[in-house]
Amino acid sequence: MKFHETDVRLFTDMMMEGFIFIDPQGIIRLYNQKAKEIFGVVYHQPHEHPPGQLVAGDLVILADNCLGEDDGGLNASTLALMGVAPGTVRQGDAVIAAGIMGGAPGSAKVLVHSPEVQRQSLEMTTTLKKHRLQAAIHYQQKKISLQVDHHLFELPYNSAIGHLAALDGAAGTLKFYQERGYSVRNEALRQLLEGSPFRGKGRHEAHLDVLGKHLTEIHEPSDVIREFLETAAGRPLGYCDRFAEINGRQTLCSLFPVDREGCRQGAVLKVEDVTEMKKALQERDEALRSLEMVESRLKAQTAVTATFAAIMGESPEIIHTRRLAMKAAANKSTVLLLGESGTGKNLLAKAIHDAGSDPQAPFVQINCGSIPENLLESELFGYEKGAFTGARDEGKQGLFELADGGTLLLDEIGELPLALQVKLLQVLQHKSFYRVGGNEKREVQVRIMAATNRNLEEEMLQGRFREDLYYRINVFPIWMPPLRKRQGDIELLVRELLPRICREADVAEKRISAEGLQKLMEYHWPGNVRELENILERAVHLCEGPVLLSGQLMVAPQQGKTKEAAEEPGDKSLKTALMEKEAALIREALARCEGSRRQAMQQLGIGKTQFYEKLKLHGIE
């Protein structure tokens, strides 16, 4: 069965690779559609222009990453045609130039980069005749981009390339832009600047028939083209899948001689554009990297949630708190836990200790506000025999000694008397102390965690807390958000707490009604999670059936709504009025400072920590 020449062309046009067949004289007999796309014989671009040539008055911007290479032999003399001063550039330089054809020497704006100097990019922006021209050579991305007003033209390269765009000097319209396949179209930079005509693009493009032409009329005489011609002429050559650069493109080439009855009929060159393969591989690699990043974040999130399972909640605020806690667990820095009473600061401190490098080390805590001042010192530092009336004969270890090698949590540190603040500061600085009534220095390695529901910066201003101690303990602050700031966690907390409360009360497991849950969601929770536990425990004891009803949730009537809704405009407490005024002053300061937090806190005369606490307290973004 014989195939007609038209059938062969249709078949080869369906191929995914470029396919070129030449006869022994080097004349092109077959050049399929994919080869035309690869080498720029045909292409589809969003921009277009009619055929023409560059003339005096036209605006030109060009970028060349290696003068004289793959640009038609461009040189300083040719660049002078657009106003580049003699001696400005030399062969091998990277150059960006914007000028007017026929312009006086030195009138063009030029940026030159010597190849001896390493840099990531070369960029220039300028204006000619009210037109904005931009050019950039991106060395790492191997790409040259030109922008003429709102038109963007990008051209990738492998080793060297020249890229040019032009505007009509009279009409101000796009006249020409460089595109792949310029060597096929005889549109290298030097030829264009010297007045050679260029072909149209888009709807102005005339058909370029390559059939019947000699191979060197279409392709520059590279090693691949020379071997292609020699093989067609009879030389015993041939290879498969060799990387080669043709017309500025990286290709994967295969060369096959065509023989019939022992006589050479020509040769076939099969080409595959590797840039498309690289792009696909890059997209795949980017997708894999993104997937790995997502997987890594999910693993990290799962690890944080599992490590701090006792800190329940899925709100952004509590997730952020858990992440900070994970970082705190990875070091031995002093941690300051801030937040209202009942938010779970003690629970978080224990979780940080347990997640540390030695969870078996002692964890000791003391409430600084629950012990009388005259006993607190001996509790912290211990005492020697006979130190005071009633002291044990053998003396006693203090909490610092008991916590040696582990963690000491100083709860409600804002309640610590000033005299003990001095002694605590010395321990933090020197890692040593003296027992009450003793003269022997005792050294300890204790990690300090401190917790408070007070604003320590305000306490400093009032003289109730030492500034040097504040900065010593405020190394790694973590804010525990109040329950009213994360109401989305209430349902989760109820679901987790209720079964445990039922087990401890030795009653059948109960659930909560929708009305009861809604009642809890509307409450403002001044006592936070601790109050929620108490209300649920009370309801469990009151409830005789399997469901907790809204009436069994003993929320005080005046607190059944949020604070804002519960207070009428004319029935505000002094505290509420002051809070509202404070929020207004902060917003005004931020407005005056155009959102600058640094300037706002300076105008208000408050410290950074206090300022950010107030932003969170008032919900100011």
Side-chain angles (χ1 to χ4, degrees), residues 61 132-136 145-153 165:
I61 183 165
R132 182 177 175 84
L133 306 177
Q134 295 177 273
S145 60
L146 302 178
Q147 186 159 349
V148 179
D149 293 330
H150 60 280
H151 302 292
L152 176 64
F153 310 101

Side-chain angles (χ1 to χ4, degrees), residues 412-477:
E412 301 303 341
I413 194 171
E415 307 284 346
L416 197 65
L418 284 170
L420 287 182
Q421 291 180 28
V422 176
K423 294 197 70 171
L424 176 61
L425 180 62
Q426 292 173 348
V427 178
L428 293 175
Q429 290 174 335
H430 305 297
K431 303 295 183 183
S432 63
F433 64 95
Y434 296 91
R435 285 182 178 179
V436 176
N439 53 19
E440 179 186 348
K441 181 186 289 188
R442 299 178 182 272
E443 296 185 353
V444 290
Q445 291 296 326
V446 176
R447 180 187 193 172
I448 297 296
M449 293 191 198
T452 182
N453 60 4
R454 291 192 177 189
N455 187 321
L456 293 184
E457 289 191 356
E458 287 186 359
E459 295 295 302
M460 283 193 302
L461 294 175
Q462 299 297 325
R464 293 191 292 264
F465 201 86
R466 293 182 60 92
E467 185 175 355
D468 47 6
L469 177 59
Y470 171 74
Y471 290 114
R472 180 62 72 169
I473 64 173
N474 192 29
V475 177
F476 202 119

Side-chain angles (χ1 to χ4, degrees), residues 262-282:
C263 183
R264 185 61 50 90
Q265 303 295 310
V268 168
L269 181 67
K270 182 169 71 73
V271 292
E272 187 172 0
D273 189 357
V274 179
T275 56
E276 297 299 322
M277 293 172 57
K278 285 183 176 179
K279 183 178 179 182
L281 289 172
Q282 287 174 350

Side-chain angles (χ1 to χ4, degrees), residues 285-303 323:
D285 291 343
E286 186 63 32
L288 288 174
R289 278 194 297 270
S290 299
L291 186 61
E292 287 174 358
M293 288 177 63
V294 170
E295 185 178 0
S296 177
R297 284 197 295 268
L298 286 173
K299 286 182 178 178
Q301 179 72 22
T302 303
R323 287 175 180 166

Side-chain angles (χ1 to χ4, degrees), residues 533-552:
E533 288 187 78
N534 293 340
I535 288 176
L536 290 175
E537 185 176 353
R538 188 183 305 122
V540 164
H541 289 295
L542 291 174
C543 178
E544 296 180 357
V547 180
L548 301 184
L549 304 177
S550 61
Q552 295 162 339

